[in-house]
Amino acid sequence: MGFKEYMIKKIISRFFVFFIVVSLVFILPRLLPGGAFAYLIENPNIPPETREELIKSFGLDQPLHIQYIRFLHNFFLKGDLGISFRYLKPVTEVIMEALPWSILLVTSSTIISFTMGILLGAYSAAKRGRVADSIITNSVMVFRSMPSFWLGLILLLVFGYYLGWFPLYGAYTYGAEYSSFVEYLLDVLYHLTLPLITLVLIQMAGYTLFTRNTMLDVITEDFIVTARAKGLSERKVVYGHALRPVLPPVITVFAINLGFSVGGALIAETVFSYPGVGRLMYEAVYTSDYPLLLGIFVYISAFTLTAITVAEILYGWIDPRIRRG
Amino acid sequence: MSTHALFSIREFLGVLKHSKHGKMGLALLAVPLTMALFADIISPYSPWERTGMPFEPPSIKHPLGTNDIGQDLLSELIYGSRISMLVGFTAAIVTVLIGVIIGLIAGYFGGIIDEILMSITDIILLMPGLPLMILLAAFLGQGYQNIILVISIIAWPGVARIIRAQVLSIKASQYIEAAVAIGASSTRIIFKHILPQVLPLALANIVLRIGGAMIAEASISFLGLGDPTQKSWGMMLYWAQRTGALSYGAWWWIIPPGAMIVISVLGFTQLGYAIEEWLNPKLRGR
């Protein structure tokens, strides 16, 4: 299969998954008894005019197949996912306000944990059987067994509450006035530190272990034996030769794990009251704001599916053998 | 892969006792398992009764202090082990059960059945797992049975893939060909020849997935989708967060439930490694 053909095939099949996601979001509230719309119909706090407008906006007065077509039309052509029960404005608008914060947190933590995990795993494999290896492997195992929100709570307790080094909530100081953009940026980074450390510590664990174990398989192969026989230093053997074939499988694991890392990040947001999509999702669950909850799921899916597809395309570009499958 | 057709419980315990991972796993799990089995004996109070003042720090009377309404936190921690472990165990078993059935059918029958089942598997694998769990939990409603269901719905595809791969390799072996040649029925081949060989792998997967299921339960509960009528470690953390335990510096409320989760997850992972090593001796000494 050529690269172009491979790429198109991946994009189409991943888009199909996204289509299923959108359909699921249509079906779920209509399928389950006493589901999403019961709240809408019964809630006495919503004024009658708004209620009628809401019912109309969801097209609940029409037959199911018409509703479905309208739903797809509204979403794919207008990006419209309905109106949030709580904010009483378009779901997309509400999500867009929170999205940049989540993207900042998820992207920075993913890049840092991915890079550090690979390096730490390679280092651990190079030092296999020694003290450094067992310290790394064991501590990484502990972090992998932790719920991300609990690690977040502990860090907040120690560095926020007891030591007072970092803020207890938020993504920036509320009501602060900044004299320059740099000052604003520093404030944002200051607030980002604890959530970022939480996510890096948790996400790094999987990459470290996986890199280490894949590398231990590679290290017994002939070309490594040859490299050693040539008299190359252990450092060059490990980072120059053995690391390269390890990267493609690590990228695959990265793609597979992404959905879960994003989920972990969203839950960590609630601990730090970080104003991202995860915090919004928590509020949506808490206030039974179903359109918002469903909309958030659509956006998260779009984000992870895009990232997975990009990873897969990169992988196919690096390693042509993959395209055969 | 293993050629053990069937295994006995005694052999299994023997394996655990002789492996480094196995011993470590059993040692770690001793605490949470004792809590779960003997909660009513070792617990100092009923976790549902108010036995102290709100937000009491640790004392001799309340070794882990009290919560916002004066319930004893140590008792809550001990009783909480039951739901956390129960959800972890059951979710892992249901997950593997679905995964084995789907993996067997897809691998054995192949063709269009395989393609359809594997497409469904891939679709679920590609969706963001935790957000999908939260979504389903929000729609299904609170109740620990629903949490078990939600975790299993999201997690089975991973198992199905592993089982399918093994079924394919077993199917290619000569004795299956021989069985087909002498006219054995599909049901006979599946139950008599393939299933017994898949079982050890299925068992390893159950043990390896308990930890993940426990973390998932804690996460769902922490977001307020847990069972409010039950005590679990995830629910303890949820209430700690809701009532602002952090702003009181109530470390005695926040640290223990998470530490118990970590100990249990580590324990089950170590046990899982021990079983994997037994199935695949090449992994030993890693």
Side-chain angles (χ1 to χ4, degrees):
Chain A
M1 204 190 291
F3 178 60
K4 210 169 167 186
E5 201 184 327
Y6 167 82
M7 200 169 83
I8 292 168
K9 210 177 142 186
K10 280 285 169 211
I11 292 174
I12 291 175
S13 80
R14 295 311 171 242
F15 185 79
F16 176 70
V17 176
F18 184 63
F19 185 78
I20 303 267
V21 166
V22 175
S23 304
L24 193 70
V25 160
F26 171 81
I27 296 163
L28 268 181
R30 289 168 175 83
L31 191 71
L32 295 160
F37 297 114
Y39 174 90
L40 172 68
I41 315 282
E42 290 155 16
N43 187 356
N45 295 329
I46 297 177
E49 319 87 73
T50 322
R51 178 181 307 155
E52 255 168 53
E53 200 184 306
L54 283 170
I55 288 178
K56 247 178 89 183
S57 85
F58 288 102
L60 291 177
D61 42 353
Q62 280 156 352
L64 216 55
H65 63 281
I66 303 282
Q67 283 185 39
Y68 184 53
I69 292 167
R70 269 192 53 164
F71 182 81
L72 293 179
H73 173 89
N74 283 349
F75 175 66
F76 282 107
L77 296 180
K78 301 184 206 155
D80 175 11
L81 281 165
I83 290 165
S84 155
F85 289 167
R86 174 151 176 258
Y87 293 92
L88 296 176
K89 57 181 184 179
V91 164
T92 308
E93 211 175 283
V94 177
I95 295 174
M96 280 306 158
E97 277 167 27
L99 201 61
W101 294 114
S102 288
I103 290 183
L104 174 69
L105 187 57
V106 168
T107 331
S108 58
S109 67
T110 307
I111 293 171
I112 296 174
S113 55
F114 186 65
T115 325
M116 283 178 63
I118 289 175
L119 292 177
L120 205 61
Y123 179 77
S124 193
K127 302 273 175 203
R128 67 200 164 280
R130 307 236 203 104
V131 184
D133 177 33
S134 85
I135 291 175
I136 292 173
T137 328
N138 286 323
S139 39
V140 149
M141 284 286 296
V142 172
F143 282 117
R144 210 171 65 146
S145 311
M146 257 176 218
S148 60
F149 62 87
W150 182 66
L151 179 60
L153 282 171
I154 301 289
L155 291 181
L156 264 184
L157 198 63
V158 176
F159 296 104
Y161 181 81
Y162 283 108
L163 297 173
W165 292 353
F166 290 99
L168 288 171
Y169 55 84
Y172 50 88
T173 312
Y174 292 110
E177 283 184 23
Y178 302 101
S179 57
S180 68
F181 180 68
V182 177
E183 203 184 312
Y184 171 71
L185 203 68
L186 284 175
D187 192 39
V188 167
L189 286 178
Y190 178 54
H191 282 79
L192 185 69
T193 313
L194 285 186
L196 187 65
I197 293 175
T198 306
L199 294 175
V200 167
L201 284 175
I202 299 249
Q203 293 172 9
M204 199 173 69
Y207 298 127
T208 308
L209 281 184
F210 187 78
T211 307
R212 177 185 176 274
N213 290 342
T214 320
M215 199 114 160
L216 287 184
D217 287 333
V218 171
I219 267 171
T220 58
E221 281 185 31
D222 288 347
F223 75 99
I224 296 294
V225 178
T226 313
R228 284 224 176 86
K230 280 198 305 195
L232 289 184
S233 67
E234 187 63 18
R235 202 189 151 93
K236 275 197 175 149
V237 171
V238 171
Y239 299 101
H241 286 67
L243 192 54
R244 211 167 293 176
V246 169
L247 289 180
V250 177
I251 294 175
T252 316
V253 170
F254 165 76
I256 292 170
N257 280 340
L258 198 70
F260 270 90
S261 347
V262 170
L266 299 185
I267 295 185
E269 276 182 11
T270 66
V271 174
F272 294 98
S273 308
Y274 207 73
V277 176
R279 174 84 197 160
L280 207 57
M281 185 169 66
Y282 172 75
E283 281 174 15
V285 167
Y286 196 61
T287 56
S288 305
D289 191 343
Y290 291 100
L292 185 59
L293 186 61
L294 293 164
I296 289 171
F297 182 63
V298 169
Y299 275 91
I300 296 172
S301 303
F303 177 78
T304 54
L305 280 170
T306 311
I308 288 171
T309 316
V310 170
E312 281 174 327
I313 289 172
L314 275 179
Y315 190 4
W317 184 58
I318 296 170
D319 187 351
R321 285 175 303 176
I322 303 308
R323 298 180 211 156
R324 266 183 248 144
Chain B
M1 262 316 141
S2 152
T3 47
H4 300 264
L6 277 171
F7 47 90
S8 67
I9 294 285
R10 190 183 288 172
E11 189 190 342
F12 177 58
L13 287 175
V15 169
L16 293 185
K17 269 195 289 188
H18 289 107
S19 125
K20 202 184 85 194
H21 288 306
K23 272 186 243 172
M24 176 90 104
L26 290 177
L28 284 166
L29 288 174
V31 180
L33 281 178
T34 311
M35 281 185 170
L37 291 174
F38 306 108
D40 23 8
I41 302 169
I42 53 176
S43 172
Y45 304 96
S46 156
W48 289 276
E49 265 169 47
R50 297 173 185 205
T51 50
M53 299 296 286
F55 287 110
E56 260 185 62
S59 62
I60 295 175
K61 202 168 157 243
H62 299 284
L64 290 180
T66 59
N67 67 11
D68 59 315
I69 50 171
Q71 295 168 331
D72 180 53
L73 282 169
L74 177 64
S75 310
E76 232 187 316
L77 189 75
I78 292 171
Y79 273 91
S81 65
R82 288 192 165 167
I83 289 293
S84 294
M85 298 282 237
L86 179 74
V87 172
F89 267 113
T90 325
I93 291 171
V94 177
T95 300
V96 171
L97 202 68
I98 305 174
V100 166
I101 294 171
I102 303 282
L104 264 178
I105 295 175
Y108 184 78
F109 292 102
I112 183 94
I113 297 176
D114 183 29
E115 261 178 49
I116 292 171
L117 290 177
M118 281 305 111
S119 304
I120 297 172
T121 308
D122 282 346
I123 288 171
I124 300 179
L125 277 175
L126 281 165
M127 286 187 189
L130 215 50
L132 183 54
M133 277 188 207
I134 292 164
L135 191 68
L136 291 176
F139 276 99
L140 284 172
Q142 292 166 321
Y144 68 92
Q145 298 92 336
N146 287 341
I147 296 181
I148 293 170
L149 185 69
V150 163
I151 296 173
S152 314
I153 292 174
I154 309 302
W156 68 263
V159 181
R161 284 217 147 184
I162 298 169
I163 297 294
R164 174 180 171 270
Q166 213 203 357
V167 170
L168 285 179
S169 84
I170 296 169
K171 213 179 117 189
S173 58
Q174 284 186 331
Y175 71 93
I176 299 290
E177 235 175 83
V180 176
I182 59 168
S185 68
S186 289
T187 335
R188 190 181 158 81
I189 294 175
I190 289 178
F191 285 101
K192 191 94 185 160
H193 298 299
I194 297 180
L195 192 61
Q197 291 209 53
V198 170
L199 279 183
L201 186 64
L203 179 79
N205 260 287
I206 290 179
V207 176
L208 279 171
R209 275 165 198 279
I210 295 174
M214 288 179 73
I215 292 187
E217 185 272 332
S219 306
I220 293 171
S221 300
F222 183 71
L223 285 178
L225 289 164
D227 194 328
T229 65
Q230 303 284 345
K231 305 246 175 219
S232 79
W233 294 330
M235 283 308 282
M236 281 179 79
L237 289 167
Y238 165 72
W239 287 114
Q241 166 89 353
R242 275 268 333 253
T243 57
L246 196 81
S247 55
Y248 294 84
W251 56 268
W252 54 87
W253 193 352
I254 295 167
I255 294 176
M260 288 313 299
I261 295 175
V262 175
I263 290 171
S264 318
V265 175
L266 269 178
F268 284 117
T269 316
Q270 294 290 327
L271 277 196
Y273 283 165
I275 299 171
E276 271 192 332
E277 276 176 4
W278 168 53
L279 297 175
N280 184 1
K282 242 179 69 187
L283 292 173
R284 271 174 213 166
R286 275 249 168 125

